[in-house]
C-alpha cells in the first residue's frame, strides 16, 4: 500500500519501498568455456534499477547483453554474485521459487515474437494469465485492454501469421506484461523490424512502460531509440558502465 505525503503543498504518492531497487545485479560473474578457452563475459557487473525506470543496454554483439538479461530474469544462474528482486536475494532460492518470481514479477520480449502460431493475438495474451490462475473472462478483459492500448483492437482474432512484424511484436509486448510484472526485460525487441516500424513499436513499448510504472531494460543497437530511455548503460570488460 502506498502512503500519501505532502511535498511543497503537492500531494504525491510515496511507495514505501522506493528506496530499494526493484532489480539489483550485484557482483555478477559469468564465464563460458569454449574448449580450453574461458570467456569472461560478466566480471563483477553491478546494476541497480528503480521502479518506473527505463534503461537502454547498448553494446556490440557478443558483449554479453543476452547473458545479462538472462541472469537478471532468473533464467540463468551467475557463477558468482546475486540478483536481488525487490531487495530479495535469489541465488539461494529453490528453482520453484525462482520460477514463481520470474512468472509473477518479470516479463520478457525477444527479438523474435515467439507467439504460439495456432492461437489468435487475444489467446496469446490470455493464456499466460489463465496459467497464472485468472478466469477466462478476467484474462480476456485485461488482454483486450492491453491489445487495444497497443493499437491492436481490430487484430484480436488474427493469428500471428496474419499480422505484420510490428503487430506481432506489439502482441508479444502485451503478452509479456499480461501478468502485470514489475520488471520488463527486452532483448533487441525491434531488431527484426524496419526503422519506421521499429520506431512505432518502441514508442508503444515506452508509453506502456511509463504508464504502468514498470522497470525495464531494453537491449538495443539503436542509439536514437536508446536516447529516449531514462538511462543508457553499456558493457565494458564484463562491467556495466553508465553512458553520458
Ligand atoms: P550479446 O547478447 O551482447 O550479443 P551474448 O550474451 O549472447 O552477447 O554472448 C556473449 C558471448 O558469450 C558471445 O561471445 C557468445 O558466443 C558467448 N556465449 C553465450 N552463451 C554461451 C554459451 N552457452 N556457451 C558458450 N559461449 C556462450
Amino acid at each position: 500500500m502506498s502512503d500519501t505525503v505532502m511535498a511543497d503543498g503537492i500531494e504525491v504518492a510515496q511507495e514505501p519501498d522506493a528506496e530499494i531497487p526493484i532489480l539489483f545485479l550485484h557482483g555478477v560473474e559469468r564465464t563460458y568455456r569454449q574448449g580450453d578457452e574461458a570467456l569472461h563475459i560478466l566480471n563483477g557487473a553491478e546494476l541497480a534499477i528503480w521502479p518506473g525506470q527505463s534503461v537502454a543496454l547498448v553494446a556490440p554483439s557478443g558483449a554479453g547483453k543476452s547473458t545479462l538479461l538472462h541472469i537478471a530474469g532468473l533464467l540463468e544462474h551467475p557463477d558468482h554474485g546475486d540478483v536481488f528482486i525487490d531487495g530479495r536475494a535469489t541465488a539461494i532460492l529453490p528453482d520453484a521459487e525462482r520460477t514463481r518470481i520470474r512468472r509473477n514479477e518479470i516479463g520478457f520480449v525477444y527479438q523474435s515474437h515467439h507467439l504460439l502460431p495456432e492461437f489468435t493475438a487475444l489467446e496469446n495474451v490470455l493464456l499466460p494469465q489463465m496459467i497464472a490462475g485468472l478466469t477466462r473472462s478476467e484474462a480476456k478483459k485485461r488482454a483486450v485492454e492491453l491489445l487495444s492500448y497497443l493499437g491492436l483492437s481490430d487484430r484480436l482474432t488474427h493469428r500471428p501469421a496474419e499480422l505484420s512484424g510490428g503487430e506481432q511484436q506489439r502482441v508479444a509486448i502485451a503478452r509479456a506484461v499480461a501478468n502485470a510484472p514489475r520488471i520488463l526485460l527486452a532483448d533487441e525487441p525491434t531488431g527484426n523490424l524496419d526503422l519506421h516500424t521499429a520506431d512505432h513499436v518502441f514508442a508503444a513499448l515506452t508509453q506502456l512502460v511509463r504508464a504502468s510504472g514498470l522497470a525495464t531494460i531494453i537491449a538495443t543497437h539503436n542509439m536514437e531509440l536508446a536516447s529516449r530511455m531514462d538511462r543508457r548503460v553499456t558493457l565494458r570488460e564484463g562491467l556495466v558502465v553508465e553512458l553520458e
Side-chain angles (χ1 to χ4, degrees):
M1 256 258 256
S2 299
D3 296 329
T4 302
V5 295
M6 297 291 280
D8 295 333
I10 304 163
E11 225 173 66
V12 293
Q14 190 182 48
E15 293 297 328
D17 295 333
E19 294 306 313
I20 301 175
I22 182 73
L23 174 66
F24 177 34
L25 275 68
H26 180 49
V28 168
E29 297 181 21
R30 187 76 174 100
T31 299
Y32 294 118
R33 311 228 160 253
Q34 280 198 326
D36 290 343
E37 211 191 332
L39 296 170
H40 301 290
I41 301 302
L42 298 174
N43 239 334
E46 302 279 333
L47 177 63
I49 300 179
W50 277 263
Q53 217 173 37
S54 63
V55 178
L57 174 58
V58 191
S61 209
K65 299 183 297 299
S66 300
T67 303
L68 184 134
L69 291 177
H70 288 163
I71 290 173
L74 311 186
L75 288 165
E76 240 184 78
H77 276 280
D79 300 323
H80 293 284
D82 209 339
V83 176
F84 294 80
I85 307 283
D86 202 12
R88 187 174 179 208
T90 58
I92 53 155
L93 296 176
D95 280 348
E97 181 61 7
R98 287 168 60 88
T99 302
R100 195 196 64 76
I101 295 173
R102 187 166 61 241
R103 202 175 281 153
N104 293 340
E105 309 284 7
I106 304 170
F108 291 92
V109 182
Y110 299 95
Q111 187 166 352
S112 312
H113 57 77
H114 294 307
L115 296 171
L116 298 170
E118 65 276 38
F119 291 102
T120 65
L122 185 67
E123 287 163 345
N124 266 281
V125 183
L126 204 146
L127 283 169
Q129 300 178 76
M130 290 179 67
I131 291 167
L134 262 67
T135 65
R136 191 181 170 91
S137 68
E138 286 167 335
K140 186 172 174 186
K141 183 166 176 287
R142 179 159 168 87
V144 171
E145 272 170 16
L146 274 172
L147 288 165
S148 302
Y149 186 85
L150 290 164
L152 294 165
S153 52
D154 54 357
R155 296 286 186 280
L156 300 179
T157 56
H158 289 229
R159 291 197 165 73
E162 299 158 350
L163 297 168
S164 72
E167 288 167 345
Q168 289 166 348
Q169 274 311 65
R170 280 184 278 151
V171 178
I173 292 165
R175 180 189 51 183
V177 300
N179 285 336
R182 292 196 291 167
I183 301 164
L184 181 69
L185 303 174
D187 199 350
E188 307 205 27
T190 60
N192 283 348
L193 306 174
D194 64 74
L195 283 181
H196 177 73
T197 309
D199 198 68
H200 191 58
V201 169
F202 201 84
L205 177 56
T206 45
Q207 191 184 349
L208 179 71
V209 162
R210 296 236 152 81
S212 57
L214 272 165
T216 183
I217 307 179
I218 304 183
T220 177
H221 283 296
N222 187 324
M223 269 315 275
E224 203 277 310
L225 298 183
S227 70
R228 301 190 213 162
M229 317 270 298
D230 296 331
R231 283 165 62 194
R232 282 145 293 285
V233 299
T234 190
L235 285 166
R236 233 170 255 156
E237 294 172 12
L239 298 175
V240 176
V241 178
E242 212 82 22
L243 291 171
E244 293 166 336

